[in-house]
Amino acid sequence: MSRQVVRSSKFRHVFGQPAKADQCYEDVRVSQTTWDSGFCAVNPKFVALICEASGGGAFLVLPLGKTGRVDKNAPTVCGHTAPVLDIAWCPHNDNVIASGSEDCTVMVWEIPDGGLTLPLREPVVTLEGHTKRVGIVAWHPTAQNVLLSAGCDNVILVWDVGTGAAVLTLGSDVHPDTIYSVDWSRDGALICTSCRDKRVRIIEPRKGTVVAEKDRPHEGTRPVRAVFVSDGKILTTGFSRMSERQVALWDTKHLEEPLSLQELDTSSGVLLPFFDPDTNIVYLCGKGDSSIRYFEITSEAPYLHYLSMFSSKESQRGMGYMPKRGLEVNKCEIARFYKLHERRCEPIAMTVPRKDAIPRLEEEMKKLQATVQELQKRVERLEETVQAK
């Protein structure tokens, strides 16, 4: 009786391919701020990086094709009076970006086509309502001009960017402590939050009510991240009581027990999850790690399947994730990350090899091995000849 040991999957052989040196963004001063955000946001037109700035907060916006060494005097977006903590591109307009800062404000900027030629100091609109620093900004996935912000005052505000007014306030009665992460559902009907009080909440923003919550999804005390995935499920990353990093999958209708819970390693960096709804793959990027793990989510047990891991030598200070419409699909690219080093931004393409590529690669490997063996024999014969003389 035959038994299948390896699970069949279209994405089993997905591999990461870092860009060549001339396709990276060199000599960028990545922010030294200790905050658990990606510090990078990308879309099909631009890449934005939060950078070091004296006397305020700034971030760099570069056209996607402008690779190579970045001029140290390159113009920045520099309207904040304190360090920028998070940035997010508008999904409906590739020229609009929002930023949250330690100066307690959210600013929305319009970047001209072709990038900046002069420093940009005047935002399109300034959103003032938080009393402490703003660490999270997230655009509504389907409605235009709707922006969410979360601050260290434990308040979530949903803004109408067109009027500059807050249309919804979720106060400290909902989140009594620091908010670690906020994520919109794919249709924008719900938001999922994780909080320092060790609870993950699912909130219906129109009513401002908590429809479901889970206490202590992970036993550890370190920050938890939560994102929506497909079919009404959420995925969380956190730490066990022994400080081992964990990833868990939950059904929002039955939050008593996880559908899947896996322990990964004992690193201390917070895992940033990025979910691709088209392939049902979730990528986990840890700050300070040198690797990207990826898992496939299915509708049948055990639900969460480890696929593989991309590793490199240098650790990452932050990570940006390209929307699907910015990928080169003719090269079988299913995801692209922008990895921040201390002085560099490196694109990493996640690619599915073509169906006929694997046998061809195996055949080429056999030919190379035969060539190596032949060269070794030649070297041995030359050595024997030298010794004989």
Side-chain angles (χ1 to χ4, degrees), residues 365-382:
M365 182 65 74
K366 289 178 182 178
K367 289 180 180 178
L368 287 171
Q369 289 173 345
T371 304
V372 170
Q373 290 174 356
E374 181 63 30
L375 288 171
Q376 287 175 341
K377 290 178 181 178
R378 288 185 185 181
V379 169
E380 290 173 0
R381 286 199 294 268
L382 285 170

Side-chain angles (χ1 to χ4, degrees), residues 4 17 28 38 52 56 66 69 105 151 155 190 200 202 212 257 272 323 343 349 356 361 377 384 386:
Q4 190 172 0
Q17 184 69 40
V28 292
E52 281 292 298
K66 193 176 180 180
R69 187 169 297 278
T105 65
V155 173
L190 299 170
V200 170
I202 297 169
E257 292 293 331
L272 307 178
R343 304 278 296 184
D356 60 345
L361 290 171
K377 290 178 181 178
E384 290 173 358
V386 170

Side-chain angles (χ1 to χ4, degrees), residues 309-330:
M309 179 171 65
F310 166 79
S311 298
S312 58
K313 293 181 181 178
E314 297 180 72
S315 60
Q316 55 228 19
R317 299 184 61 84
M319 193 70 75
Y321 181 65
M322 174 66 80
K324 189 59 65 74
R325 55 197 173 86
L327 303 181
E328 295 186 53
V329 292
N330 58 334

Side-chain angles (χ1 to χ4, degrees), residues 115-128:
L116 299 175
T117 55
L118 294 170
L120 185 59
R121 295 185 174 89
E122 293 298 323
V124 176
V125 61
T126 300
L127 307 174
E128 297 178 335

